[in-house]
Amino acid sequence: MSKWPLNKAYFWEHAPFFRLLLPLMAGILLYEVVPSALIAGLLAAIAVAVYVPTVFYRKRSNTLDLTNNIALQIILMSAGWAITYTNDIRQDKNWFGYNLEQADVFAAKLTAAPAGKEKTWKLRVDVLAANKEGVSKTATGKAFVYVYKNGDSLPCKEGDVILIPNKWQAIHSAGNPFEFDYAQYCAWNNIYYQQFISSNELRLYEKASARSIPWVRRLHNWCLHQLDIYIPDRSTAGLIEAMRIGEEANLDQDLRQAYSETGIIHIIAISGSHITMFFIFISFLLSWIKHKKYNWIRFLLALPLVWIYVLMAGASPSAVRAALMFSILSVGFALQKTPNTLNQLFATAFVLLCVQPMWLHAVGFQLSFVAVLSLILFYKPLHKLLSPGNAILRTLRPAAAVSVAAEILVAPLVI
């Protein structure tokens, strides 16, 4: 059998997930413009009606192949729209936003530890039920509850179920030109309401037991407790908590602003560098595996540990992207396949957007994806281009090439 002519293959033939990712992204964006299920369903039905006959038609032609391809792209775009539709909490008939006129009190569960602000405690909650004159109705949805400080600590903690009044307010942005659209950001995270109450308006309904909190969150809280014990300085402890386990509730805001102004705020986020260091540590523990033939054992043993770490650290988009890409690489090594980094990156983005389509709008996801793409495309050409004669400069060449390569696509997005 003749060798596949790689020099004649198109870019998308080397990275086939590229052709799947683009229509999926288009479908996610289309949902913002066309939220009507009737129109989207009609478009998908027409595409399927066109695509199916072309598959079984024996006589091929350029026109038929083009029609087949366009119909398939529309089907994938419709799939992206449908995934976004099902992930929109407003499509759930039990969403608590539909019960604002029929409820006096809401039951909600704290999904994270209360975060202390200057004048309030910020509670992230999942609404469980809406109550009207003693009659309870199931309700769902995420929200923020701000409790004014009065000198006392809150009587609730993560996992507790609390009762709160019906004082919901729609989240709005300030409306200033070019200002960050906070309301849209919350909407992409399925959060549309918040309320501000005093501490005496909040009632503890059910205390959390050790088993009621997911074990991943218990592991997260245990790590926080250990850092608090061994790092007495609160500012340092807050920074380490953010950099190691993704907990930013105790991060000093002045320190955060300083990192932001110097352009190195990304080192706080859990990302690929953390996954790499974690895997290096695991490889060190498994260094007794000497033969290259059995290197795949390291990857398969590291795989569940990496995912536990990512989930424990809050499962941010950058961390999940790194973990998923590591998983695809690990399976490739286990099956002894030659890795295709570019296609693996597109496959990672495709899977992530199928699970969380609104991550397409998340800056963390965008920067993470674009930075890796930039490294894949430009690192090798830049490394070859930079050829200093000095031995010291040659040792710095890889670091310089990585820095410049990453910025090529990241800089326009940041600007």
Side-chain angles (χ1 to χ4, degrees):
M1 184 173 67
S2 60
K3 187 177 179 181
W4 178 262
L6 293 177
N7 60 314
K8 296 181 181 180
Y10 292 105
F11 156 74
W12 50 83
E13 293 179 20
H14 292 286
F17 263 97
F18 176 74
R19 291 195 291 180
L20 302 179
L21 181 61
L22 283 185
L24 183 76
M25 292 169 58
I28 295 171
L29 296 174
L30 181 66
Y31 180 77
E32 301 289 328
V33 182
V34 185
S36 172
L38 179 61
I39 297 176
L42 182 62
L43 184 66
I46 294 173
V48 171
V50 172
Y51 176 75
V52 172
T54 61
V55 173
F56 298 100
Y57 194 72
R58 293 184 178 182
K59 190 175 181 180
R60 311 306 300 177
S61 66
N62 291 336
T63 303
L64 187 64
D65 289 340
L66 179 61
T67 304
N68 179 292
N69 186 49
I70 292 174
L72 181 60
Q73 297 299 305
I74 294 175
I75 293 172
L76 288 170
M77 186 170 65
S78 301
W81 187 97
I83 292 171
T84 311
Y85 177 88
T86 56
N87 275 267
D88 189 347
I89 190 64
R90 295 171 298 178
Q91 308 305 331
D92 188 341
K93 63 180 182 180
N94 291 324
W95 180 49
F96 79 95
Y98 297 138
N99 296 290
L100 298 184
E101 302 297 329
Q102 295 85 27
D104 299 321
V105 179
F106 287 85
K109 183 177 182 178
L110 272 69
T111 57
K117 304 296 181 181
E118 184 178 355
K119 297 181 180 181
T120 62
W121 293 97
K122 181 180 181 180
L123 311 181
R124 295 174 179 267
V125 301
D126 278 346
V127 177
L128 304 177
N131 190 288
K132 176 73 171 180
E133 297 177 351
V135 179
S136 183
K137 179 182 178 182
T138 301
T140 59
K142 301 177 182 179
F144 294 136
V145 177
Y146 294 88
V147 183
Y148 291 111
K149 291 182 176 179
N150 59 3
D152 300 328
S153 59
L154 278 179
C156 55
K157 62 181 186 302
E158 181 181 355
D160 289 349
V161 177
I162 58 175
L163 297 178
I164 49 180
N166 188 354
K167 291 189 174 182
W168 296 112
Q169 304 172 17
I171 298 176
H172 295 291
S173 295
N176 298 321
F178 307 109
E179 187 181 35
F180 175 67
D181 193 343
Y182 179 68
Q184 182 62 75
Y185 168 77
C186 291
W188 287 332
N189 288 278
N190 274 330
I191 302 174
Y192 293 90
Y193 286 96
Q194 62 186 359
Q195 62 172 280
F196 296 83
I197 59 176
S198 60
S199 58
N200 57 11
E201 292 179 285
L202 181 150
R203 286 184 291 163
L204 180 62
Y205 179 74
E206 182 181 345
K207 292 187 69 67
S209 63
R211 294 182 178 275
S212 65
I213 300 176
W215 65 269
V216 174
R217 291 298 302 173
R218 295 202 300 269
L219 178 60
H220 177 89
N221 295 335
W222 180 84
C223 291
L224 282 177
H225 181 64
Q226 298 305 310
L227 290 174
D228 288 338
I229 292 175
Y230 293 104
I231 306 177
D233 182 71
R234 300 309 307 148
S235 178
T236 304
L239 178 62
I240 298 300
E241 290 169 2
M243 294 178 64
R244 290 293 173 261
I245 55 178
E247 179 60 64
E248 298 189 17
N250 301 318
L251 180 63
D252 183 78
Q253 293 304 309
D254 292 335
L255 184 62
R256 180 186 178 87
Q257 185 63 28
Y259 272 87
S260 180
E261 291 174 353
T262 53
I264 56 173
I265 189 67
H266 59 275
I267 69 170
I268 295 177
I270 306 296
S271 60
S273 59
H274 295 74
I275 305 302
T276 302
M277 289 187 292
F278 195 70
F279 176 67
I280 291 173
F281 175 71
I282 296 172
S283 295
F284 173 75
L285 296 179
L286 299 174
S287 57
W288 51 272
I289 301 176
K290 302 294 185 181
H291 202 290
K292 292 183 178 180
K293 182 180 178 181
Y294 301 105
N295 269 343
W296 60 271
I297 297 177
R298 298 184 184 184
F299 288 93
L300 291 189
L301 290 178
L303 204 55
L305 298 177
V306 165
W307 277 105
I308 290 173
Y309 172 70
V310 168
L311 295 174
M312 184 270 294
S316 64
S318 58
V320 174
R321 188 269 309 159
L324 184 58
M325 194 166 184
F326 175 80
S327 303
I328 295 173
L329 282 169
S330 298
V331 173
F333 280 119
L335 297 176
Q336 297 182 343
K337 300 293 183 181
T338 304
N340 182 342
T341 311
L342 189 60
N343 192 50
Q344 288 162 349
L345 178 64
F346 292 138
T348 300
F350 182 86
V351 174
L352 289 180
L353 292 178
C354 284
V355 177
Q356 288 287 351
M358 286 306 176
W359 273 0
L360 180 62
H361 303 285
V363 175
F365 175 85
Q366 296 170 7
L367 288 173
S368 176
F369 178 81
V370 169
V372 176
L373 178 62
S374 191
L375 286 172
I376 293 172
L377 295 179
F378 301 112
Y379 171 72
K380 286 185 178 180
L382 284 173
H383 190 268
K384 293 179 180 179
L385 183 65
L386 300 174
S387 54
N390 188 286
I392 298 177
L393 294 179
R394 280 200 300 271
T395 60
L396 297 175
R397 179 173 62 171
V402 166
S403 300
V404 176
E407 289 296 326
I408 291 176
L409 294 182
V410 167
L413 181 60
V414 171
I415 292 172

